[in-house]
Amino acid sequence: MSTCTTASRELDEPLAGTAATARTWLLLEQPGPWGAKALTSSHLDPALGRALEAAAKDTGVRIALIRRPGRHADCGTPTERQVYAAHTAPGNAWLHSATVSDPQELLDLDFAALGGGDHHTFDAALRGRPHTAAPLALVCTNGKRDRCCALLGRPLAAELAASGVTGAWEVTHLGGHRFSPTLLVLPFGYAYGRVGAHQVKEVLQGVREGRVVTEGCRGSSAWERPAQTAELAVRTATGEHAADALTVLRTDGAAPRWEVTLAHTDGRLWRVVVAMGASEPPREESCGSALGSPARMDVVAVRELRAADLPVPH
């Protein structure tokens, strides 16, 4: 059976620069089946789903639903739901958790503050606290968005849970169905594609040690796609794996070409030229969609800067 995942893998489509962008993730437990637009087509009150979408718009917060791996029959309304908030910016990455009996409580959050990296609104509104248990491994399993997410994602989530990965959850949407199984790890916010259980465990061990595993990495959700690509290119060129070591200072230019300036905590700087092109030959971006040429990000140059390369302040 040909799928969008099969075509992407066989055509060796690059993974870098394909992660969903979110400075802050807000995750709400919602058991039962999910529709294609899960916030408004699940067993969550659709009016609440629309209100949450409106509250999060243009704040840097991305909301997703999560559920425990396993069967998803309707077991009624849960008395307690798990909620997580995670900020992914290097130097201020954090993961907090809470439980709520009524998901309407999420509307008490200051979404602008949450998107800016302030966890106090989460802690005050939802009685949240720092998450000190295992990092989260979120596997996209929403077959109503794309069958590959169900065919490949659900078995991976089940295998992780069965093997004792306590932070494993199913999640509604991470983008990039054709890279299934897709994974997001929190708190650092790096996304992965075409992953197996052994690789997920390596990634999670890296998170516990403050390291980023670059193999299979799609990029950090803290950055837009050109910067995701540039950061991974610098990590590859330098062998730097410390999660907080690199930050994006600025991105200049516009499609199809950008110059991204990155800084290391030790003071080194790099400028990376990234160009956007079309993936050829045409292929399905999602199962059942018309053939298309999805955008790809290619690294043109990676250059370490000297003091003389920097602009003189006025």
Side-chain angles (χ1 to χ4, degrees):
M1 177 177 61
S2 179
T3 64
C4 65
T5 301
T6 304
S8 177
R9 189 187 295 268
E10 289 180 349
L11 293 169
D12 198 24
E13 185 177 350
L15 292 166
T18 66
T21 300
R23 299 281 279 181
T24 301
W25 291 84
L26 180 63
L27 308 170
L28 170 64
E29 183 179 4
Q30 177 57 57
W34 296 330
K37 295 182 185 255
L39 276 180
T40 53
S41 55
S42 68
H43 290 179
L44 184 70
D45 179 356
L48 172 60
R50 287 190 292 271
L52 288 170
E53 287 178 338
K57 186 177 180 181
D58 299 326
T59 64
V61 177
R62 185 178 176 112
I63 305 174
L65 302 182
I66 56 174
R67 63 191 177 196
R68 301 284 183 181
R71 296 182 54 126
H72 304 302
D74 181 7
C75 300
T77 302
T79 55
E80 291 286 332
R81 300 170 191 250
Q82 188 69 46
V83 185
Y84 295 102
H87 190 62
T88 61
N92 186 35
W94 50 259
L95 173 62
H96 283 219
S97 64
T99 56
V100 297
S101 55
D102 183 356
Q104 292 275 351
E105 292 181 65
L106 271 64
L107 293 176
D108 294 332
L109 293 168
D110 182 339
F111 281 83
L114 198 61
D118 184 353
H119 58 74
H120 293 97
T121 176
F122 183 84
D123 297 346
L126 305 181
R127 302 163 300 284
R129 59 204 177 277
H131 177 76
T132 56
L136 302 187
L138 306 165
V139 181
C140 183
T141 62
N142 191 352
K144 290 296 174 62
R145 291 194 70 96
D146 193 281
R147 63 181 177 177
C148 286
C149 297
L151 291 172
L152 301 172
R154 288 190 64 185
L156 173 61
E159 183 179 355
L160 292 174
S163 65
V165 177
T166 56
W169 290 85
E170 298 186 10
V171 67
T172 46
H173 185 47
L174 298 177
H177 323 294
R178 62 192 185 279
F179 306 122
S180 296
T182 58
L183 170 78
L184 177 75
V185 293
L186 294 175
F188 295 147
Y190 284 85
Y192 293 82
R194 306 179 188 136
V195 291
H198 179 72
Q199 184 184 2
V200 173
K201 291 175 183 178
E202 288 183 355
V203 169
L204 292 175
Q205 182 60 32
V207 173
R208 286 187 283 269
E209 296 172 0
R211 294 184 297 106
V212 176
V213 173
T214 55
E215 182 182 358
C217 191
R218 300 172 61 195
S220 166
S221 68
W223 315 120
E224 298 290 341
R225 291 187 61 183
Q228 293 174 15
T229 309
E231 190 222 20
L232 288 175
V234 172
R235 289 191 180 278
T236 300
T238 62
E240 179 57 76
H241 296 290
D244 284 339
L246 296 172
T247 191
V248 176
L249 295 182
R250 55 187 292 170
T251 300
D252 298 302
R257 191 178 180 92
W258 299 265
E259 288 190 354
V260 184
T261 305
L262 299 98
H264 194 286
T265 50
D266 65 10
R268 285 179 292 165
L269 296 166
W270 290 267
R271 184 161 294 149
V272 182
V273 179
V274 178
M276 182 173 68
S279 298
E280 298 294 346
R283 79 289 306 271
E284 290 181 334
E285 293 189 51
S286 294
C287 288
S289 68
L291 296 183
S293 299
R296 56 180 284 164
M297 296 290 169
D298 293 306
V299 176
V300 177
V302 178
R303 183 165 66 95
E304 187 170 354
L305 301 179
R306 304 163 300 169
D309 297 319
L310 301 177
V312 177
H314 296 290

